[in-house]
Amino acid sequence: QQQVKQSPQSLIVQKGGIPIINCAYENTAFDYFPWYQQFPGKGPALLIAIRPDVSEKKEGRFTISFNKSAKQFSLHIMDSQPGDSATYFCAASETQGGSEKLVFGKGTKLTVNP
Amino acid sequence: DSGVTQTPKHLITATGQRVTLRCSPRSGDLSVYWYQQSLDQGLQFLIQYYNGEERAKGNILERFSAQQFPDLHSELNLSSLELGDSALYFCASSVLTGDLTEQFFGPGTRLTVL
């Protein structure tokens, strides 16, 4: 059972475009929603994260939009650059008792063309 | 560079063998997590240790075991290896930033079982 569903699987945009990656979850006990960026041959790196009591969070060109009632959240990348080409993973966790067991989506391979 | 180190970088072995993967967390981080990344299963949480004690368990096979030592480094032991165990194994360590726990991933160990 896939607890976090991510779409699309791949995405190609032109430089300056605004790619949007969507995730949906089922477990209402999830209370932490991070996005990770992974370049080939590297480990995932935290990009931005949100708690469900906030509907939007911006950090630089990256924005998370969160819809608690729909159990959906998305990542928007403003003014995308070729250097943003990477695989993006959404994740969720239930942070009770000090455990942050992350459940990851399957990933979205983003290509930003010059 | 996340500050999390993993050795070895690559490991090639045969079915039925046993291997040990090593992880050193960032200085001061007490939590260590292990993840498996494969093409078909994606990124999956295996196990978390906090200051030497097991904190959470995920989809970790009985053939796999882990421990965290007093100096906080961790080892993941994989035994009776099968072809399907071929994957990237990531270690992460965490720090609390505000009310969000950020997990920093190491560069991974690529395991190939022949």
Side-chain angles (χ1 to χ4, degrees):
Chain A
Q1 181 189 1
Q2 191 181 347
Q3 294 192 58
V4 177
K5 293 184 180 179
Q6 183 172 348
S7 63
Q9 196 171 353
S10 63
L11 189 52
I12 301 174
V13 300
Q14 292 299 118
K15 179 182 172 184
I18 306 176
I20 300 172
I21 305 170
N22 300 298
C23 285
Y25 64 97
E26 290 296 323
N27 186 350
T28 55
F30 286 150
D31 60 359
Y32 174 63
F33 301 88
W35 285 88
Y36 280 82
Q37 180 189 56
Q38 186 178 25
F39 293 103
K42 304 286 186 183
L46 180 66
L47 206 53
I48 186 172
I50 198 168
R51 290 269 191 204
D53 53 346
V54 175
S55 61
E56 186 176 276
K57 183 174 181 180
K58 287 184 184 180
E59 282 186 6
R61 296 184 293 107
F62 301 93
T63 299
I64 298 179
S65 297
F66 189 85
N67 186 330
K68 189 174 180 179
S69 60
K71 292 185 286 185
Q72 295 175 348
F73 58 111
S74 60
L75 177 71
H76 300 230
I77 305 175
M78 307 300 288
D79 187 28
S80 59
Q81 302 296 312
D84 296 329
S85 297
T87 300
Y88 292 81
F89 294 92
C90 62
S93 72
E94 193 181 333
T95 59
Q96 57 175 316
S99 161
E100 295 91 30
K101 182 169 81 171
L102 285 172
V103 178
F104 283 89
K106 292 283 192 181
T108 296
K109 185 175 181 181
L110 172 66
T111 302
V112 181
N113 289 325
Chain B
D1 184 1
S2 67
V4 177
T5 59
Q6 289 186 248
T7 56
K9 194 167 183 178
H10 301 279
L11 199 47
I12 301 175
T13 188
T15 54
Q17 295 298 305
R18 173 189 168 94
V19 297
T20 298
L21 312 184
R22 183 188 167 100
C23 168
S24 292
R26 294 178 347 134
S27 177
D29 287 357
L30 299 178
S31 273
V32 168
Y33 312 76
W34 286 98
Y35 292 87
Q36 180 193 60
Q37 185 175 38
S38 62
L39 280 174
D40 53 342
Q41 297 293 325
L43 257 171
Q44 292 215 318
F45 169 78
L46 295 178
I47 197 163
Q48 176 197 2
Y49 277 82
Y50 178 83
N51 203 20
E53 293 190 4
E54 184 182 304
R55 181 64 69 95
K57 219 166 184 175
N59 300 323
I60 187 165
L61 300 171
E62 283 192 15
R63 300 184 285 109
F64 296 0
S65 65
Q67 53 184 327
Q68 186 179 27
F69 295 86
D71 67 351
L72 300 178
H73 92 270
S74 178
E75 292 181 356
L76 179 67
N77 300 297
L78 315 176
S79 62
S80 302
L81 285 168
E82 302 175 359
L83 295 177
D85 297 327
S86 295
L88 265 169
Y89 291 85
F90 288 104
C91 166
S93 69
S94 70
V95 63
L96 190 62
T97 307
D99 68 339
L100 299 176
T101 300
E102 179 172 355
Q103 291 188 27
F104 293 85
F105 281 73
T109 293
R110 181 173 292 280
L111 173 66
T112 303
V113 182
L114 300 176

